[in-house]
Amino acid sequence: MNSSSISKFLFWLIVSVFSGTSLLISAVYLYLTPQLPDIQSLTQIELQIPLRIYTEDGQLISEFGEQRRRPLEYNEIPQQFVHALIAAEDDRFFQHNGVDLKGLTRAAIQLVRTGKKKSGGSTITMQVAKNYYLSSAKTFSRKFTEILLALKIEQELSKEEILELYLNKIYLGKRAYGVEAAAQVYYGVSLSELKLAQLAMLAGLPQAPSAANPINNPRRAKERRNYVLARMHTLGFIDQQQFDDAAKSTIIARYHGLKSEVEGSYIAEMVRHELYQKYGEDTYRLGFRVTTTLNSKAQTQANNALQTGLLKYDRDHGLRTQPNQKLLSPTKLQIYDNEITLTWPTELDDKQDIDWPKTLDDWQEELNSRGQYGLIHPAIVAQVLDSGAWIVSGRKQWSWLPFSGVKWAKPYISVNRVGREPTKTSDVLSQGQIIWVTASAESGLQLAQIPEAEGALISIDPSQGAIRALVGGFSYGLNKYNRATQADRQPGSAFKPFIYSAALANGLTPASIINDAPVVFKDAGLENTWRPENSSGKFYGPTRLREALYKSQNLVSIRILKQIGPRKAINYISPFGFPREKLSKDLSLALGASAVTPLELATGYTVLANGGFQIKPYFIDRIEVGSEEELVFQANPMQACLECTATAENSSQVNDAQSPQDENQALLDAISAPLSEALSAEAVASEAPAVRRLAPRIMDERTHFIMNNMLQDVIKRGTGRRALALNRNDLAGKTGTTNDQKDAWFSGYNRDLVTSVWMGFDQPRSLGRWAFGGNTALPVWVDYMGAMLADKKHNPFPQPDGIVNVRIDPETGLLARPGQKNAIFELFKQEQIPARDSSKQGTAEHNNDDDEEENSPELLF
């Protein structure tokens, strides 16, 4: 075959190959084009955004969702980062039309030479097409579809829009999707706050986000970062000086977990549960932004107050020995490295043959595995001296723990006994021991231990039910059980205000005389005969109602309930927020034997704090969804309003003896309606202003005023006297302690805030013979309320019409004689002013007890 024939053959071969390729491409184009999606749908795609929960004042509480993402608009992205990205990924991005022919050619040559697909020649636009529409399968058909989509995207979207889509979608390791989330994960700040070296580090991550990020592989990540910087220098984005400075910088990236600005994990879980009931798995991807009713100051103070109280209780009962407590042996030096220069605390014994660099590295791993729980954090004892100990805590931080912070650690023997006080630090601590420590402004650094006793605190705005603070235990990280909403515990005497309120509504007065004497109660439902007694074990004889309340005399409460009847009392009490089925149907109700949650008890006290109105506590104020934060729910709670003119609806629902019981019963429902019900079509927010909803009155205003005044006496002269430290004239409340000191309570309020505190063990057992509501729960309440009311004006209730203040004989409860020296003033409803002759006072139970011996038990059936 001559040369002419060969030329013709090659020519037609090339033409055939070209034609065949063209036909193949045309066929593929015609086949795939109809299947391509509408590019405009890219602008409507909702990226997976986690559920985020905030306080009312905008502080982040928690985030739920597998993909951490914070979308940015293009104008929020630093230009230097854009340069770093295109230098690393696609340096001709602003010139090509979506497909880089040079890159594709290079990828094809590599495939021919090696037989393997080493690179796909993808542009940023092609990656957008893949990330939003296609799978990651490495097939030729997917590649052709990717190319066609890229061309179509470039025709319909601007370069800036394409980059915005890419940067918000791309995975960059450590659950971070999008560049803003990556900046937060690796550096703990926004993308706009990063320096050149850090921006280049992030720009290099798309190539291998899991294997080459600066946390998993710092060396490889640094090499990739410097490659990006070199490309930026080559392309003229940075000068030589910028390159040199950035390339020399050390890697400071570390994992920054979710940075909650306020610790509110218990209520965050309540929010998550409510949304999940409605939306299922969409809860974690639609980008819900939930604003709760929590106040960040209140929540922080509640956390600190409860933890402080539990730690104090724990210290008072001694240091529990831990047989399996871990001791780490410091590593001995084998070879000294004279080039290492370290600065240790001056008192540290440098004669010990310890390789401190190696030791601290080992200890740091141990400390990292322990975590931190609010006010306490782990540490390891480095050296023990008579005057204290050197300890090492997080990030190899040295601290001095003085002996004064260890001196409390008497050995725990039982809940009522502790051993001898230690005389030197080594009586308690050993080198290498893992311990817990806490710090306070008053006491400095102190040894601590994770408390066994638990507690709960809930604080509510009584005017409309917003929960301002909720703490369900010492630490959510240790135990997720929410005692504030899930723990049914007997409230003891903290329940008595509701019994006394029922008594005042049914004819008794603060001056009614009730005999404090032994009783015996027999009931077929009880295994043994019930012989209730006062906590002091004494009996006080005829006692005024007011005095019996602030002294918390149990036997008076029982006789009051006997007189008005358990059924009538339950009808009166249940609208306060207590589920009817939880209330005992017998006289044990008078002593708080009906188990309720701290939330339910606090709800009851809101009626006393707001002037007698029924409100329902709630914890979600509004819900927004999506990147546009569309409002889908806005709470519109009922408002207690003393100043408002009583409507027919309100006045018809006054919960006093004269009110129809069927109307009271109609008020009963769940304490907090599920959000799944609230998010109905009727509840979705609209542009129309919400109609103000007035809460129904369930307590006569005069009954309320007298009851509130009696509860103020609990603080002024009764079991709540520790609250006098707040120096306020508008506080009222009641302590509660159950049998064998298994539960300690204090619930108290002013018109601005209701707070209930409970302390006890999860598996009920005694807190100790000296643990009562007044010295265990009340100090926590004082700590919290003192901070919350510090800048609030005193806000007493105005005296309503129909209340009179008259002088009475404190022994008989009747009107005082003229000139009687021991007479006292007492409040009465105008129509209940007592007479001077005892025969005219028919509502007091003492008439039934005149013939009874003071210490002779009365048999109650």
Side-chain angles (χ1 to χ4, degrees):
M1 183 180 293
N2 57 35
S3 57
S4 176
S5 300
I6 294 174
S7 299
K8 289 181 180 180
F9 174 77
L10 292 175
F11 171 77
W12 288 111
L13 178 62
I14 292 171
V15 170
S16 299
V17 170
F18 179 79
S19 300
T21 303
S22 299
L23 288 172
L24 178 62
I25 292 174
S26 299
V28 171
Y29 177 80
L30 292 173
Y31 173 75
L32 294 177
T33 297
Q35 303 177 37
L36 296 179
D38 178 14
I39 299 304
Q40 287 302 319
S41 64
L42 271 176
T43 59
Q44 278 84 49
I45 287 179
E46 292 187 356
L47 299 173
Q48 291 190 30
I49 306 173
L51 162 66
R52 297 192 182 99
I53 302 168
Y54 295 86
T55 63
E56 63 162 359
D57 47 335
Q59 300 292 297
L60 179 66
I61 298 174
S62 191
E63 180 179 87
F64 293 93
E66 187 62 28
Q67 297 185 6
R68 299 185 62 183
R69 192 192 305 274
R70 288 176 172 83
L72 295 177
E73 294 182 4
Y74 181 80
N75 58 15
E76 298 176 285
I77 301 168
Q79 194 63 29
Q80 205 167 45
F81 180 76
V82 174
H83 291 160
L85 182 74
I86 63 175
E89 293 291 310
D90 186 358
D91 59 13
R92 298 185 64 252
F93 173 73
F94 285 101
Q95 285 77 48
H96 63 62
N97 62 350
V99 178
D100 186 358
L101 294 178
K102 290 183 179 179
L104 288 175
T105 303
R106 184 172 58 251
I109 292 172
Q110 289 177 342
L111 176 61
V112 171
R113 287 180 176 176
T114 64
K116 297 179 181 178
K117 295 188 288 290
K118 291 188 176 182
S119 67
S122 291
T123 63
I124 287 176
T125 312
M126 292 167 68
Q127 291 182 58
V128 168
K130 181 181 72 173
N131 290 338
Y132 281 86
Y133 289 122
L134 306 174
S135 70
S136 297
K138 293 185 176 181
T139 62
F140 287 110
S141 63
R142 196 226 71 195
K143 196 66 177 180
F144 280 123
T145 305
E146 183 181 305
I147 292 171
L148 293 175
L149 270 173
L151 294 171
K152 193 172 182 182
I153 288 171
E154 288 275 350
Q155 291 175 355
E156 301 190 31
L157 299 180
S158 69
K159 290 289 187 179
E160 289 76 13
E161 289 174 322
I162 294 169
L163 266 180
E164 182 180 313
L165 289 168
Y166 177 73
L167 293 176
N168 285 324
K169 176 77 172 179
I170 192 167
Y171 178 62
L172 296 171
K174 297 297 179 184
R175 292 179 52 220
Y177 289 79
V179 293
E180 176 66 8
Q184 296 285 349
V185 166
Y186 293 111
Y187 299 105
V189 297
S190 176
L191 185 72
S192 61
E193 300 176 62
L194 297 183
K195 296 180 180 179
L196 173 60
Q198 297 156 358
L199 293 172
M201 178 72 76
L202 295 184
L205 289 177
Q207 186 185 68
S210 297
N213 68 63
I215 295 174
N216 291 355
N217 195 332
R219 181 190 60 79
R220 185 174 169 186
K222 186 175 182 179
E223 291 175 354
R224 177 67 176 167
R225 179 200 70 183
N226 290 349
Y227 164 78
V228 175
L229 289 169
R231 291 284 300 144
M232 292 180 73
H233 182 246
T234 300
L235 296 171
F237 293 136
I238 58 175
D239 58 30
Q240 186 65 45
Q241 186 64 49
Q242 289 176 302
F243 170 79
D244 292 340
D245 292 344
K248 291 175 183 176
S249 65
T250 57
I251 293 179
I252 61 172
R254 62 182 179 86
Y255 183 72
H256 293 73
L258 174 66
K259 267 196 171 181
S260 295
E261 297 170 292
V262 176
E263 171 49 47
S265 298
Y266 288 101
I267 206 155
E269 171 55 25
M270 292 165 63
V271 172
R272 185 208 65 80
H273 177 75
E274 292 288 353
L275 264 69
Y276 191 82
Q277 294 295 104
K278 172 71 174 177
Y279 295 103
E281 292 300 321
D282 284 348
T283 300
Y284 310 122
R285 69 176 189 84
L286 293 183
F288 285 107
R289 177 190 171 98
V290 179
T291 300
T292 68
T293 60
L294 255 60
N295 174 271
S296 59
K297 177 185 175 182
Q299 183 64 26
T300 299
Q301 186 63 34
N303 289 328
N304 291 342
L306 184 62
Q307 284 205 339
T308 298
L310 289 169
L311 289 170
K312 182 185 183 303
Y313 170 85
D314 217 52
R315 287 195 300 272
D316 291 345
H317 290 78
L319 183 68
R320 299 184 302 276
T321 56
Q322 301 175 12
N324 59 347
Q325 191 165 27
K326 192 169 183 179
L327 294 177
L328 301 176
S329 299
T331 305
K332 297 294 181 182
L333 273 172
Q334 301 300 320
I335 301 174
Y336 283 100
D337 185 349
N338 294 326
E339 295 181 1
I340 296 179
T341 302
L342 299 169
T343 302
W344 307 115
T346 54
E347 292 85 350
L348 196 64
D349 187 357
D350 57 5
K351 296 179 182 179
Q352 291 186 343
D353 192 24
I354 297 174
D355 181 355
W356 282 112
K358 174 66 167 65
T359 298
L360 292 180
D361 286 341
D362 293 343
W363 285 2
Q364 189 63 53
E365 290 185 18
E366 186 68 35
L367 290 171
N368 290 343
S369 69
R370 295 278 163 159
Q372 180 171 338
Y373 304 108
L375 298 181
I376 66 172
H377 61 273
I380 299 176
V381 180
Q383 186 171 351
V384 179
L385 304 173
D386 288 344
S387 57
W390 284 106
I391 62 174
V392 178
S393 55
R395 297 195 186 180
K396 304 179 184 178
Q397 179 181 350
W398 291 88
S399 300
W400 173 248
L401 175 61
F403 178 62
S404 60
V406 180
K407 197 174 181 180
W408 66 266
K410 305 170 187 176
Y412 172 90
I413 297 175
S414 73
V415 73
N416 294 314
R417 291 182 60 205
V418 294
R420 292 183 178 180
E421 185 177 278
T423 59
K424 56 184 182 297
T425 313
S426 59
D427 291 342
V428 180
L429 303 180
S430 304
Q431 188 179 54
Q433 184 179 358
I434 300 174
I435 61 174
W436 294 94
V437 293
T438 186
S440 69
E442 298 80 16
S443 308
L445 204 61
Q446 281 189 309
L447 178 68
Q449 59 188 353
I450 295 175
E452 287 187 344
E454 274 293 355
L457 184 154
I458 184 162
S459 190
I460 304 175
D461 178 348
S463 66
Q464 33 82 35
I467 295 176
R468 298 306 186 196
L470 185 148
V471 188
F474 180 80
S475 171
Y476 186 82
L478 289 169
N479 191 324
K480 295 175 174 53
Y481 180 52
N482 190 343
R483 297 154 191 86
T485 62
Q486 295 176 301
D488 282 324
R489 306 294 294 232
Q490 293 182 348
S493 295
F495 192 78
K496 287 178 181 176
F498 309 107
I499 300 295
Y500 278 70
S501 295
L504 294 177
N506 282 276
L508 274 71
T509 75
S512 296
I513 301 296
I514 307 293
N515 195 22
D516 185 76
V519 297
V520 177
F521 182 73
K522 289 186 176 181
D523 187 275
L526 299 176
E527 295 182 3
N528 300 307
T529 299
W530 183 41
R531 298 175 182 270
E533 59 182 24
N534 295 317
S535 60
S536 63
K538 300 178 181 180
F539 305 98
Y540 298 95
T543 306
R544 284 178 294 113
L545 214 67
R546 177 184 292 272
E547 187 179 12
L549 179 63
Y550 70 70
K551 289 184 176 179
S552 201
Q553 293 172 213
N554 292 336
L555 301 174
V556 172
S557 299
I558 292 172
R559 281 187 160 83
I560 289 172
L561 182 59
K562 181 197 173 195
Q563 179 169 333
I564 62 177
R567 177 174 294 182
K568 185 180 288 187
I570 289 172
N571 287 338
Y572 184 86
I573 292 169
S574 54
F576 282 62
F578 300 105
R580 194 180 186 90
E581 64 276 10
K582 285 188 175 184
L583 300 179
S584 303
K585 308 302 188 291
D586 53 41
L587 296 186
S588 66
L589 178 69
L591 304 186
S594 302
V596 297
T597 67
L599 173 59
E600 289 164 345
L601 188 65
T603 302
Y605 273 83
T606 62
V607 180
L608 301 171
N610 65 26
F613 298 90
Q614 183 196 55
I615 57 91
K616 297 185 178 72
Y618 69 104
F619 53 90
I620 295 178
D621 178 61
R622 68 181 182 274
I623 302 174
E624 296 152 316
V625 66
S627 58
E628 300 297 322
E629 297 185 357
E630 177 188 356
L631 184 65
V632 296
F633 172 78
Q634 177 67 63
N636 184 23
M638 291 188 293
Q639 305 279 334
C641 183
L642 274 178
E643 296 77 19
C644 300
T645 302
T647 63
E649 177 187 5
N650 284 2
S651 60
S652 70
Q653 295 183 17
V654 173
N655 185 14
D656 249 346
Q658 298 80 8
S659 301
Q661 293 303 326
D662 56 346
E663 291 188 62
N664 288 331
Q665 183 60 35
L667 297 175
L668 295 175
D669 51 26
I671 282 184
S672 183
L675 184 65
S676 55
E677 295 179 12
L679 286 177
S680 62
E682 293 77 18
V684 171
S686 68
E687 295 182 1
V691 177
R692 188 180 187 190
R693 302 167 62 214
L694 296 180
R697 176 176 284 283
I698 60 172
M699 190 178 190
D700 175 76
E701 60 179 344
R702 295 185 301 165
T703 299
H704 167 267
F705 184 82
I706 294 172
M707 188 69 242
N708 178 72
N709 186 267
M710 291 170 66
L711 287 172
Q712 287 182 309
D713 266 5
V714 174
I715 289 176
K716 292 175 182 177
R717 62 187 72 182
T719 56
R721 283 189 296 271
R722 286 176 184 262
L724 291 174
L726 299 184
N727 195 29
R728 296 184 67 96
N729 64 10
D730 61 346
L731 298 179
K734 186 68 184 75
T735 55
T737 309
T738 59
N739 286 344
D740 199 27
Q741 289 78 43
K742 292 179 181 177
D743 300 274
W745 295 82
F746 187 80
S747 290
Y749 61 89
N750 76 344
R751 292 180 66 181
D752 297 312
L753 207 57
V754 170
T755 301
S756 285
V757 176
W758 166 82
M759 288 175 63
F761 291 99
D762 283 339
Q763 298 300 320
R765 57 187 171 95
S766 178
L767 287 164
R769 68 166 64 100
W770 308 116
F772 300 97
N775 61 11
T776 304
L778 178 53
V780 176
W781 187 92
V782 170
D783 188 3
Y784 170 76
M785 290 290 278
M788 296 311 300
L789 300 179
D791 57 350
K792 300 282 187 182
K793 294 181 180 180
H794 293 212
N795 192 15
F797 283 99
Q799 182 170 314
D801 295 336
I803 293 288
V804 293
N805 199 359
V806 300
R807 295 170 71 249
I808 63 167
D809 184 329
E811 295 183 0
T812 66
L814 304 177
L815 280 180
R817 299 181 304 276
Q820 183 174 339
K821 292 184 179 180
N822 69 338
I824 61 174
F825 281 95
E826 185 55 88
L827 296 173
F828 294 92
K829 296 176 183 177
Q830 195 165 21
E831 67 274 16
Q832 291 181 326
I833 299 174
R836 288 194 177 92
D837 184 351
S838 61
S839 64
K840 295 180 181 179
Q841 183 171 347
T843 59
E845 189 182 348
H846 76 281
N847 291 334
N848 300 327
D849 297 330
D850 285 342
D851 299 327
E852 181 180 57
E853 293 294 332
E854 183 176 319
N855 294 318
S856 176
E858 177 186 359
L859 189 62
L860 302 178
F861 295 93

